[in-house]
Amino acid sequence: MPPDRSTQPAATDAVIRAQGVTKRFDRFTAVDEVSLDIHRGEVFGLIGHNGAGKSTLFKMMLGLLAPTSGSIHIAGEPVDGAGAREVRRRIGYLPENVALWDNLNGLETLRFFARLKRIDTSTCAALLERVGLGHAGNRPVRAYSKGMRQRLGFAQALLGQPQVLFLDEPTTGLDPRAIHFFWDTLAELREQGLTIVLTSHILAELQNRVDRVAVLTNGKLQALGSLPELRAQFDLPLRVRAQLAPATAAADATRLLADLPPPLAGIARQTEADAITFQAPRAHKIPLLQYLLRQPGQVLDVHVQEPSLEDMFFADQAPATEPASPVVASDASQAEAA
């Protein structure tokens, strides 16, 4: 379900605050002067092409990488300060590639991470049930499928009722039913006030499930806002498809196009056997709809498709190269995040 925009927190309610964050690797600038606030109870998407800097920014938010300059605070505390370990206990983290110990079973794995976070291990069995792994708690992790490992990693991230949840490509390896369950669980957590930050290459998944999105390009913050705000920023045309009466489709198409008033006559369009699809600038949306709806004998239906998150992502992206980060999602780094 799309987020309820009326319940979005005020701008002052920032759980995560990044100010002028820059990260350089020798001469390469991976993240360049990024500033943003992420609010309490918000589902926030971080997207960008490979090499855009999103993974580096993600790791700096987790405290796994130190910024070259700038600062990141979570709940008012610097992620790399003296209280960094205490800050991390408020964080749940699911890496893209879940690194687990094959010789432990699912329940032992959760108990291990619970002890790292100094959390009561008695909650682990219920947490396994919550992610649909109650039946496999005593099964060695080496026998888990990729999707089961991802669920176990998700359970690890939820240990201790974190204030902030970081999810890196969270639906990797999940089947459609598990993906549906995952997003339903995130919606429940959001309602409870949890702040969720996630990355995903599956932009269609994010589109109706995030409150706001940050788009990174070559280490810079290219765009930031809700989906309607991004549509206004990118100002991409919308697709308006007019379904024509089948008996006289060809004649109707000719007549419709011939009678288009200016400036509608200049709109790009594609004519099919029984329909016309217009690529309409946003400013022409209402005049075009009004014109089409005045043709009841010729136009049977009108469908409007707004630019998708994917459309906006590809509208202004250029390839870039980012060197491998010195921090990888290994057993050690995952344990450190815990």
Side-chain angles (χ1 to χ4, degrees), residues 125 127-138:
L127 199 49
L128 277 181
E129 289 286 349
R130 182 171 189 178
V131 299
L133 289 177
H135 66 286
N138 294 320

Side-chain angles (χ1 to χ4, degrees), residues 42-320:
E42 183 172 42
V43 180
F44 189 90
L46 187 61
I47 66 174
H49 57 73
N50 290 334
K54 62 184 186 299
S55 294
T56 301
L57 179 59
F58 211 69
K59 289 171 182 173
M60 286 191 288
M61 288 180 175
L62 285 163
L64 299 178
L65 274 179
T68 303
S69 61
S71 63
I72 300 175
H73 290 73
I74 293 181
E77 296 290 335
V79 296
D80 56 352
R85 183 164 292 276
E86 187 59 36
V87 170
R88 290 181 192 177
R89 291 197 183 99
R90 305 175 191 173
I91 294 173
Y93 172 44
L94 174 62
E96 179 179 2
N97 299 305
V98 182
L100 302 169
W101 288 269
D102 286 349
N103 290 332
L104 299 181
N105 63 35
L107 190 56
E108 289 169 339
T109 298
L110 276 195
R111 286 173 175 166
F112 169 78
F113 283 110
R115 286 191 291 270
L116 282 181
K117 287 188 172 183
R118 300 181 185 177
I119 295 165
D120 185 358
T121 59
S122 65
T123 63
C124 293
L127 199 49
L128 277 181
E129 289 286 349
R130 182 171 189 178
V131 299
L133 289 177
H135 66 286
N138 294 320
R139 190 183 305 174
V141 171
R142 63 175 173 272
Y144 278 25
S145 67
K146 184 174 178 58
M148 292 173 71
R149 286 172 175 261
Q150 196 73 357
R151 285 178 180 237
L152 183 56
F154 186 38
Q156 172 274 135
L158 295 177
L159 279 167
Q161 298 180 323
Q163 291 178 280
V164 182
L165 191 59
F166 287 93
L167 307 171
D168 193 0
E169 301 291 339
T171 57
T172 298
L174 299 184
D175 60 39
R177 183 182 296 274
I179 291 173
H180 182 76
F181 167 83
F182 168 80
W183 286 113
D184 282 349
T185 302
L186 284 195
E188 293 173 10
L189 294 170
R190 179 187 183 274
E191 290 301 315
Q192 296 167 14
L194 185 68
T195 302
I196 301 166
V197 185
L198 54 88
T199 68
S200 178
H201 285 102
I202 308 174
L203 301 186
E205 278 190 352
L206 296 184
Q207 178 159 315
N208 294 321
R209 294 183 171 103
V210 295
D211 295 296
R212 290 188 303 144
V213 171
V215 182
L216 289 180
T217 302
N218 300 330
K220 294 182 178 291
L221 186 61
Q222 187 74 15
L224 173 66
S226 65
L227 198 58
E229 290 168 344
L230 290 180
R231 283 174 177 149
Q233 289 180 47
F234 282 87
D235 196 26
L236 296 179
L238 9 87
R239 299 180 184 90
V240 179
R241 179 181 172 86
Q243 189 72 34
L244 305 179
T248 58
D252 286 345
T254 301
R255 190 180 307 112
L256 276 173
L257 295 177
D259 293 342
L260 276 171
L264 300 182
I267 294 176
R269 66 258 187 173
Q270 180 179 355
T271 304
E272 304 170 31
D274 59 352
I276 305 174
T277 300
F278 298 89
Q279 299 285 335
R282 186 164 297 275
H284 295 162
K285 174 182 177 180
I286 299 303
L288 179 59
L289 290 177
Q290 289 173 335
Y291 172 75
L292 293 175
L293 294 175
R294 289 197 299 266
Q295 322 299 323
Q298 303 170 49
V299 178
L300 298 182
D301 194 11
V302 177
H303 175 73
V304 179
Q305 182 181 345
E306 292 276 1
S308 67
L309 185 56
E310 190 170 86
D311 292 332
M312 290 179 278
F313 177 76
F314 285 111
D316 194 26
Q317 296 294 314

